[in-house]
Amino acid sequence: MKSRDPQRQEGAGWLFVTPAIIVLGLFLIAPIGMALWVSLSDWTGRGSPISTDVNFVGTENYSALLAEPGLARQDLMISFRNTFYYVVGVVPLQTVLALSLAVLVNGRFLRGRTFFRTAFYFPSVVSSVAISLLFLFLFAGSGAINNVLAWFGVNGPNWFQDSRGLIHIFGDSIGIWSISDPPSWLTDPSVMGMSFWQWSAGPSVALSAIMMQVIWTTAGTFMLMFLAALQDLPLDVEEAAIVDGASKWQRFMNVTVPHLRPTILLVVTLGFIGTWQVFDQMYVMTQGGPAKTTLTPAYLSYQAAFTNGNWGQGAAIAFILFALIFILTTVQRWLMRDKYEWAQKKADRRLRRQQRRQHRETVNELQRKAQSS
Amino acid sequence: MSAPTKDDGTPVTPVVNAVGENKTSRTKKFWFYGVLLFFAILYVYPFVIQLVSSFKTNPDATNNALSLLPEPVTINAWEVLFSSDYPTWFTNSIIVTLFVTVGRVFFCALAGYALARLKFRGRAALFTGLIAILAVPGIVLLIPKFLMLNYVGIYNTYPALIVPIMIDAAGIFIMKQFFESIPESVEEAARIDGASTFRTFWSVVLPMAKPALITLTILSFQGSWNELGHFIIATNDPNLYTLTRGVAGFTTGGLGAGNQYPVAMAAALLMTIPTAIVFIVFQRYFTQGANAGAEKG
């Protein structure tokens, strides 16, 4: 009887999802378990990680990375510092650029609208490897960028060989400190094996070039998301604002931006998740150099395992990065949560709780009645 | 940026706007198109430089990076490229992309349909699992995937390049969302006519899902053609290199000594062309793809 029930499709249902379960299970879930084991072991890359020659070392790999002073911890801290500056630079700028481009090409009567949209979006569908080669050429010592800078009398740096931090350069140029002879109040105190001076370097010139590349590339994708949201903008509100005599800028800040809030949240969240994972550009362009200023956790993890054969540490870095991305996106979602939405959810929950309580009470009462009768 | 209408006391602002087709609005238009043009140059010019530089000699490319006229024009870079392993990489990229795309579209549609429409025990749990998988950042999976490929014994084979990226949670999610949006009545009619579940899926539901299938095809094509990380960890055999993997090696001395900018530009350009063709043909769907991908966020 059960198998004839047209409402139930047990067999077909499971059959349809089986390929997905096998592939995702075998190449996603199981490997995570395996990597967790490797991160707790001393496997050197020879033979199977699940053999008797491999020893369980507990949290040794993690403590070498996070607790004990040494090269492993210093490299990880350098990669965190680099990525921090990278994220802080890229996420806001790509969001603002994407929104600006979207507003620019949103006009209904704009001539050549399709051309501009295509031009802005195209780089985000091109392979990061191809774009990286292009930017290596553009930012070369005698490349296009430095040629343009020369028009304005600026002597461009040797971008990908320059490890000086932007904050250091800025401080040097306004005379707070000298890069060649940093003050001891910054070089002496140290946190996690790195001096204040090193922590406060800012993104290096090399990293800034990569940041510009990434902003340029990804803005197109986010522009499309903003465009979709802009097209949903209710016209009557806009019209009301015009009648009220609001200026274009006022209308943008007070009507458009609040309407785009969910999209901004989405773009910033996706930006965070994407930027913390940056890997391709480092692999193709700089291999972490110069002076480790483009080292990122993702690249460090790859390097530790595949180049240096330190699989335990490589896997441990991957898990630390995973945890970090998870925590940061949760915090960021919480910080940027919509207060109104939040209040509504809370009210909803209270209502449901109330209903449940009422329901429970009714049931209890009915039971009592049933028992007493 | 205050509007010209603001200092004007007239309450009927739109009329003032119409009258105000004067100097201010013309300068505004000028600035608007100026800014637009600036960004257009910023986005188009690099690709022009790329194209032109691939026909330059190396010294010419190095010394006159901005110039749009190769002096002299040479196809040397292209000759170098075609006598290198580049054709092998190109073939491998086509093979891998083809299998991944076909596989991903079919299996993701299958699973998405089951999660959207078929009633079976454990469906809700599977969907929760899917959402959890979506939250795993791809880059942290490089080492784990390598471990598994090695363990299963398919490291350095085509299946290693293809199978692990053939099914992705985002694809299943997009298909599920789409199937939920189409009316159930058509399937019911087919079912009452006695069609099997697969038959209903294949000849009734799939044809209706064309827009979603095209979107997923494009996302898969783009994803697997541009993928780098997975191909780095799935093989170290030069015969199995795809374009991304092979070309990435150019920068680390893959072409011998010195910077071979024209060759690098030609290599980058050629691997961009298939993407550009697909992009131009299916532009409409790219827009949807970008936003479909957004929904998972």
Side-chain angles (χ1 to χ4, degrees), chain B residues 109 175 178-179 182 201 204-215:
Chain B
M175 290 314 293
F178 184 83
F179 287 130
I182 54 178
F201 165 74
V204 179
V205 180
L206 271 194
M208 285 197 293
K210 219 169 133 197
L213 292 177
I214 294 177
T215 301

Side-chain angles (χ1 to χ4, degrees), chain A residues 25-348:
Chain A
L26 196 60
F27 293 108
L28 213 141
I29 298 166
I32 292 178
M34 213 154 152
L36 191 62
W37 157 248
V38 167
S39 79
L40 301 170
S41 80
D42 64 353
W43 188 55
T44 54
R46 280 176 200 206
S48 163
I50 312 173
S51 74
T52 43
D53 315 336
V54 182
N55 302 307
F56 177 76
V57 296
T59 56
E60 204 174 274
N61 290 315
Y62 290 91
S63 62
L65 287 163
L66 296 171
E68 294 152 25
L71 192 63
R73 188 177 76 165
Q74 199 186 17
D75 280 353
L76 185 67
M77 290 308 135
I78 289 175
S79 78
F80 280 159
R81 177 200 65 185
N82 298 340
T83 316
F84 170 77
Y85 288 121
Y86 176 85
V87 172
V88 166
V90 169
V91 173
L93 287 176
Q94 79 184 4
T95 308
V96 170
L97 179 62
L99 182 54
S100 314
L101 292 178
V103 171
L104 275 177
V105 297
N106 188 40
R108 224 167 311 159
F109 305 107
L110 176 69
R111 249 173 281 162
R113 200 172 58 149
T114 323
F115 164 76
F116 288 117
R117 284 185 188 182
T118 310
F120 299 155
Y121 182 54
F122 186 64
S124 37
V125 300
V126 175
S127 140
S128 57
V129 175
I131 299 277
S132 296
L133 287 192
L134 176 57
F135 271 68
L136 274 176
F137 178 49
L138 295 177
F139 279 91
S142 61
I145 301 291
N146 281 354
N147 276 334
V148 173
L149 287 178
W151 295 346
F152 303 98
V154 178
N155 205 346
N158 212 335
W159 294 89
F160 291 110
Q161 272 83 51
D162 200 328
S163 63
R164 291 174 301 156
L166 288 195
I167 295 178
H168 282 178
I169 294 176
F170 179 72
D172 188 81
S173 71
I174 60 168
I176 304 178
W177 52 58
S178 147
I179 289 189
S180 49
D181 182 25
S184 58
W185 58 271
L186 276 171
T187 51
D188 289 347
S190 81
V191 177
M192 299 292 272
M194 250 178 22
S195 69
F196 277 13
W197 176 249
Q198 280 174 297
W199 279 111
S200 66
S204 70
V205 175
L207 188 62
S208 319
I210 295 181
M211 287 162 69
M212 285 186 249
Q213 173 191 338
V214 170
I215 293 166
W216 180 84
T217 314
T218 39
T221 313
F222 296 135
M223 174 196 76
L224 283 190
M225 293 179 191
F226 280 127
L227 262 179
L230 281 174
Q231 253 131 48
D232 294 340
L233 192 69
L235 269 178
D236 46 343
V237 184
E238 179 100 33
E239 274 161 14
I242 295 175
V243 174
D244 285 349
S247 74
K248 250 193 172 156
W249 178 248
Q250 282 173 326
R251 258 165 22 220
F252 179 72
M253 289 312 286
N254 298 318
V255 179
T256 312
V257 169
H259 172 80
L260 291 178
R261 211 192 141 96
T263 316
I264 295 173
L265 176 68
L266 176 71
V267 166
V268 171
T269 308
L270 290 177
F272 260 106
I273 297 172
T275 44
W276 272 101
Q277 297 190 61
V278 59
F279 170 82
D280 290 10
Q281 287 77 10
M282 282 63 199
Y283 180 85
V284 179
M285 302 168 88
T286 58
Q287 294 84 45
K292 295 185 179 174
T293 56
T294 61
L295 201 60
T296 62
Y299 189 75
L300 188 65
S301 155
Y302 163 81
Q303 204 180 34
F306 288 87
T307 315
N308 304 334
N310 204 337
W311 290 85
Q313 263 180 27
I317 296 171
F319 281 103
I320 294 171
L321 178 61
F322 185 12
L324 194 75
I325 293 176
F326 184 77
I327 293 168
L328 286 174
T329 45
T330 311
V331 169
Q332 180 256 343
R333 264 172 196 275
W334 183 77
L335 283 176
M336 286 188 69
R337 75 198 181 281
D338 199 321
K339 292 210 172 80
Y340 172 74
E341 200 182 317
W342 182 73
Q344 198 159 38
K345 262 189 197 155
K346 202 174 157 191
D348 269 4

